[in-house]
Amino acid sequence: AVLFDHQALRDQFPALKQTIGDHPLCYLDTAATSQKPQAVIDAMTEYYQLNNANVHRAAHQLSARATQQYEAVRQQVAEFIHAQRQDEIIFTHGTTESINMVAYGLTSQIKPNDVILVDTAAHHANIVPWQELAKRTGAVIKPIPLTTDAQLDITAFDQLLALKPKVVTLCHVSNALGTLNPVNELVAKAKAVGALTLVDGAQAIAHLSVDVQLIDCDFYVFSGHKMYGPTGVGVLYGRYTELDKLTPMLTGGEMIKTVSFEQTEFGALPNRLEAGTPAIAEVIGLGAAIHFLQQLPREQILAHEQQLLRYLQQQLQQLGAIELYGITNDKHSGDKHCADGQRHNIGAVAFNLQGEHHQDVGILLDQQAVAVRCGHHCAMPLMTSLNLGGCCRASIGIYTNKQDVDQFIHALNTVKELLL
Ligand code: PMP
């Protein structure tokens, strides 16, 4: 049962109040980007109206205010993900940039034939930068296979660890399927053979309480826009010692200690990895989003989301002629997010209408104001492993309610009757 006032929470998202044609907007594409609460929009507006100045430089009041606000968010993020120190938090433009900074930054530490293990369910943002690193260094990429029910294959993972990989990169939650990796267990195993670990938290951060010290990964990355914050800002968390070894991908102002034409000395973290003027308004917006989330009863919200997702899965199953992908409710232990011993999907359901092209289904749903994502979800190797050309994905957020699911199922039933 929902104990908090869910409608009051939903009312804080202005975009959700609109109608499209004759229908209320049914936004089931939160995994692509979430809608923003008024508090985030207001925080960014206020910065531009009152405090707009560059950070870290000037002696004047506005710059001092902007710098204070910007740096306060670093502290906020550190607390939010339980980092040990705030200089382990690097602001980037998003998950993609964060992973690129790690993969580029490791170049001098990687040698020919070093092995890099990549989750088959990874988003392209967590594949291509490693391929580029492999091209530069002669390292070898090995995919970590999935089981037939689209879970990371832990037996195969254990076997691959015998290769003594230098890097293991995983998704926390798959963006295409909503499957959850037992990252604590996987990272511990990778560490035991001396690998550096990166966890892509883009799809986890808005749903789960993330504790980077508990996960014990070397790097954890996510985007602001998938956690009710603005686009254009993301986070690279890194264990201080490992972060400090990364070669900066970007160089220039703000990241230096001294510059002469003979030689430049880089500054200390976090500035060393934040060249140039950062996305100040967006960082402030991210801070407002975190504040917004922290004021909510997160356990109850997660329970609400889990209940809604199960309802969504059941309704899809009952509709008939639907194929579902990566649905998990098998017994699983050892991960703190599986307290009841079940491994759940988080935030998203992937499906196809039997025999129909996902794109056709998406277009017909859109005509009924239902927004879902259709395609390969930037996870082509995953689609290949599932033997799929693509699929539809319905994804939920804190504001999604039962009416959304019912509107979606009703619309999908109409599509089914039209096409089948
Ligand atoms: N990884 C995952 C798991 C994602 O879901 C996404 C966004 N779809 C990304 C990486 C890339 O994030 P961004 O586009 O914000 O850089």
Side-chain angles (χ1 to χ4, degrees), residues 119-227:
D119 193 343
T120 293
H123 186 282
H124 295 163
N126 198 13
I127 300 175
V128 186
W130 303 110
Q131 286 175 329
E132 292 299 306
L133 173 62
K135 276 194 219 162
R136 284 192 299 276
T137 60
V140 182
I141 307 270
K142 301 250 183 217
I144 308 164
L146 304 180
T147 59
T148 46
D149 60 349
Q151 305 296 314
L152 187 138
D153 185 336
I154 296 187
T155 312
F157 180 64
D158 288 341
Q159 285 162 0
L160 284 167
L161 290 180
L163 301 173
K164 294 259 181 328
K166 282 282 151 53
V167 179
V168 172
T169 189
L170 304 162
C171 33
H172 196 168
V173 171
S174 145
N175 65 303
L177 306 178
T179 44
L180 171 67
N181 268 334
V183 286
N184 299 5
E185 175 190 334
L186 300 175
V187 168
K189 287 180 172 188
K191 275 193 65 164
V193 299
L196 285 171
T197 52
L198 182 144
V199 177
D200 175 355
Q203 293 298 337
I205 193 76
H207 301 288
L208 306 174
S209 302
V210 169
D211 184 330
V212 291
Q213 292 187 67
L214 209 74
I215 298 172
D216 204 23
C217 52
D218 296 297
F219 304 103
Y220 193 94
V221 298
F222 54 95
S223 300
H225 70 96
K226 293 180 197 276
M227 55 181 294

Side-chain angles (χ1 to χ4, degrees), residues 42-56 61-77 86 91 278-288:
D42 288 348
M44 294 176 74
T45 304
E46 184 187 281
Y47 163 75
Y48 279 126
Q49 284 181 341
L50 298 175
N51 305 322
N52 176 51
N54 211 328
V55 290
H56 298 150
Q61 278 296 314
L62 258 52
S63 179
R65 265 190 246 152
T67 304
Q68 186 274 328
Q69 287 191 4
Y70 178 82
E71 289 301 326
V73 180
R74 199 185 305 279
Q75 179 61 35
Q76 235 185 320
V77 172
Q86 56 165 305
F91 290 120
I280 305 166
E282 289 77 5
V283 167
I284 290 168
L286 174 64

Side-chain angles (χ1 to χ4, degrees), residues 401-412:
N401 61 19
K402 184 169 175 293
Q403 285 94 295
D404 287 323
V405 176
D406 290 339
Q407 183 179 341
F408 162 62
I409 294 294
H410 178 82
L412 189 57

Side-chain angles (χ1 to χ4, degrees), residues 6 10 16 26-35 175 178 203 206-207 226-228 301-313 345-349 371-372 393-402 404-405 408:
H6 190 263
R10 185 178 167 102
L16 297 175
C26 174
Y27 189 75
L28 293 178
D29 198 19
T30 292
T33 199
S34 61
Q35 296 301 337
N175 65 303
Q203 293 298 337
H207 301 288
K226 293 180 197 276
M227 55 181 294
Y228 314 105
I301 302 265
L302 179 59
H304 166 75
E305 286 186 10
Q306 288 302 93
Q307 199 182 21
L308 207 57
L309 201 69
R310 267 195 291 272
Y311 177 65
L312 176 51
Q313 290 170 351
N345 297 73
I346 303 288
V349 181
V372 298
R393 175 191 68 190
S395 59
I396 64 167
I398 53 177
Y399 38 66
T400 314
N401 61 19
K402 184 169 175 293
D404 287 323
V405 176
F408 162 62

